[in-house]
Amino acid sequence: MMLENRQVKLIDENGIRVDGRRPDELRPVKIEVGVLDNSDGSAYVEMGRTKIYAAVFGPKEVYPKHLEQPDRAILNCRYHMASFSVDERKPLGMTRREIELSKVIRQALETVVFLEEYPRTMIDIFVEVIQADGGTRTAGITAASLALADAGIAMSDLIAGVAVGKVEGRLVLDINDLEDKYGEADMPVAILPRLNSIVLFQLNGRMTLEEVKQALAMAREGINKIYQLQVEALKRRYSVNQIDEGQ
Amino acid sequence: MYYFSDKEIVVPGQLLTDDPSKSGPGTYVYNGKVYAAQAGLAKLRNGVITIIPVKSPYKPEPGDWVIGVVVDVKPNSVEVDLGGYNFAVIRYSEQMQPPQNVKIGDVVYARVKSSGLKGVLLDADDLRKIEEGIIISISPAHIPRLIGRKGSMINMIKRETGCSITVGRNGLIVVSGPTSEGEFTAISAIRLIASEAHSAGLTDRVAALLKRSKERVSGNDAGEQAG
């Protein structure tokens, strides 16, 4: 196979990764809130070359009507990769992978949103990957939780996520596409930074129990850094656009 | 012990205080501590911490006067879109005609009877159909500013433009006046209030806008007569 012929050196002798990072270093993160005018809430997250928009619509009437819950809201989540987001054009429509990721993102978000505050409604969440370079599900959750907060929806905490990988026997934080493809393991984690509970945890590949524990500790550190940027982005958004207090 | 300063912008999950009795709207209690549940301005109001959300759709309260668009007429109920979470409902007996004989697409001015788990109910008795005018929509949060203290702001606009203005608490407003210039001026004034609702000295700026428009209109009239 082609892949086996390709010799990729993912970590050099000095412990520096393919894109010049140290093993415990995040990619440059850029977060903005309130970027899409026609949505009720939106956010943009950039982690290195991974670029993601998230938009929230609602709470609103439930369609189709039979899904309506008398005591709570339902979340409707769509994770989608744009055709041009990957090297080889991705066909339009939802693939198996996208359907699965929509589900895990929805389940992560359901743990924070106070659904019972909005009975008989539905909240639409769209996560659109504009450019994919690894770690899209975790960046997608990071963006989606900000978009929900921007929409003014009651929630217990923000969510931040990051993926830890294992390449050439070493644990590395925030893996990119190359490290994901040619590495030995990929472990996306999403955590509620304030309440400190894990809402998404997946593992592809092999890691020992000790490595999982160590990877989780690395993820926590990365997540705390991302969380600071999330809070900053939210506050920045509203300090320029102060609201009326007369209500 | 409070962990925020007055009118600080808080984010969901932010710790506000250790005293669970201080939990007010927009906050929640977890493990005996009060956290923010919404993004907004945190404030102590009536002894509890309240979060004024930066934006949120209209939440109906009983007694509010609202403007809505009829979206469906059923055998014993009429559904009205208020721009909130759910459609509001007007109930009536199956033997009777819908109140005011409303049809799909009609705009109604009504009072909220109740709001809760069963949905939003509007009062059928004092329902009024709005026959003409221009509907504009602003954020429900800006409505108190548009009305002003004891209606000072809205009365000024009505007086200066000669328009009748119906204000719904849900953010919809119907403007209807004898002249299109008057209607235009009233709408500009409302838009100005909506875009600068948070700033001080707004009343003076609205008054200046109304005065300018008035002068322009009378100037045009004089010109036409001379020509």
Side-chain angles (χ1 to χ4, degrees), chain B residues 14-42:
Chain B
Q14 187 166 339
L15 179 63
L16 299 175
T17 181
D18 302 323
D19 181 358
S21 68
K22 296 277 189 269
S23 174
T27 68
Y28 70 97
V29 181
Y30 177 76
N31 274 353
K33 287 180 177 168
V34 181
Y35 298 86
Q38 273 174 306
L41 300 181

Side-chain angles (χ1 to χ4, degrees), chain B residues 7-81:
Chain B
K7 291 187 199 165
E8 183 187 327
I9 300 164
V10 294
V11 300
Q14 187 166 339
L15 179 63
L16 299 175
T17 181
D18 302 323
D19 181 358
S21 68
K22 296 277 189 269
S23 174
T27 68
Y28 70 97
V29 181
Y30 177 76
N31 274 353
K33 287 180 177 168
V34 181
Y35 298 86
Q38 273 174 306
L41 300 181
K43 252 183 121 173
L44 257 184
R45 187 183 279 179
N46 304 330
V48 293
I49 301 168
T50 307
I51 292 181
I52 307 161
V54 244
K55 57 179 158 187
S56 83
Y58 171 62
K59 263 190 183 159
E61 298 285 340
D64 282 358
W65 281 92
V66 293
I67 293 173
V69 182
V70 175
V71 286
D72 202 358
V73 179
K74 292 177 171 172
N76 61 354
S77 67
V78 176
E79 284 185 355
V80 183
D81 184 4

Side-chain angles (χ1 to χ4, degrees), chain B residues 158 161-166 174-178:
Chain B
K158 282 182 186 168
T161 62
C163 291
S164 81
I165 303 173
T166 317
V174 174
V175 178
S176 155

Side-chain angles (χ1 to χ4, degrees), chain A residues 61 120 150 152 155-156 194, chain B residues 9 13 28 37-38 55 86-87:
Chain A
E61 283 283 309
R120 294 178 194 278
D150 182 40
M155 54 204 284
S156 58
R194 294 264 183 182
Chain B
I9 300 164
Y28 70 97
Q38 273 174 306
K55 57 179 158 187
N86 301 98
F87 293 150

Side-chain angles (χ1 to χ4, degrees), chain B:
Chain B
M1 173 78 190
Y2 298 106
Y3 300 104
F4 67 99
S5 50
D6 191 38
K7 291 187 199 165
E8 183 187 327
I9 300 164
V10 294
V11 300
Q14 187 166 339
L15 179 63
L16 299 175
T17 181
D18 302 323
D19 181 358
S21 68
K22 296 277 189 269
S23 174
T27 68
Y28 70 97
V29 181
Y30 177 76
N31 274 353
K33 287 180 177 168
V34 181
Y35 298 86
Q38 273 174 306
L41 300 181
K43 252 183 121 173
L44 257 184
R45 187 183 279 179
N46 304 330
V48 293
I49 301 168
T50 307
I51 292 181
I52 307 161
V54 244
K55 57 179 158 187
S56 83
Y58 171 62
K59 263 190 183 159
E61 298 285 340
D64 282 358
W65 281 92
V66 293
I67 293 173
V69 182
V70 175
V71 286
D72 202 358
V73 179
K74 292 177 171 172
N76 61 354
S77 67
V78 176
E79 284 185 355
V80 183
D81 184 4
L82 301 179
Y85 301 137
N86 301 98
F87 293 150
V89 175
I90 308 167
R91 293 204 186 286
Y92 62 97
S93 156
E94 224 162 301
Q95 280 84 37
M96 293 181 359
Q97 288 291 308
Q100 307 283 315
N101 228 338
V102 290
K103 296 188 176 58
I104 294 174
D106 281 352
V107 176
V108 294
Y109 184 56
R111 196 160 52 85
V112 177
K113 204 178 196 175
S114 68
S115 165
L117 269 185
K118 285 181 179 165
V120 182
L121 227 67
L122 298 182
D123 210 325
D125 301 332
D126 39 19
L127 177 101
R128 191 152 66 76
K129 201 152 96 178
I130 294 176
E131 301 287 355
E132 58 171 14
I134 301 166
I135 303 187
I136 51 175
S137 157
I138 67 172
S139 162
H142 298 149
I143 292 291
R145 199 71 206 253
L146 170 65
I147 292 168
R149 204 161 279 140
K150 286 184 185 159
S152 59
M153 187 79 93
I154 194 77
N155 285 335
M156 178 172 76
I157 301 175
K158 282 182 186 168
R159 199 171 55 236
E160 296 296 318
T161 62
C163 291
S164 81
I165 303 173
T166 317
V167 181
R169 191 63 194 77
N170 57 333
L172 290 183
I173 300 153
V174 174
V175 178
S176 155
T179 62
S180 47
E181 286 88 359
E183 286 176 336
F184 179 80
T185 309
I187 292 170
S188 324
I190 293 167
R191 290 255 176 259
L192 176 78
I193 295 166
S195 62
E196 297 180 17
H198 54 277
S199 56
L202 187 58
T203 316
D204 296 339
R205 259 172 293 147
V206 173
L209 178 133
L210 293 172
K211 200 175 154 219
R212 262 199 325 273
S213 310
K214 219 175 182 180
E215 279 164 5
R216 204 172 51 233
V217 169
S218 58
N220 280 348
D221 285 352
E224 274 163 30
Q225 276 159 10

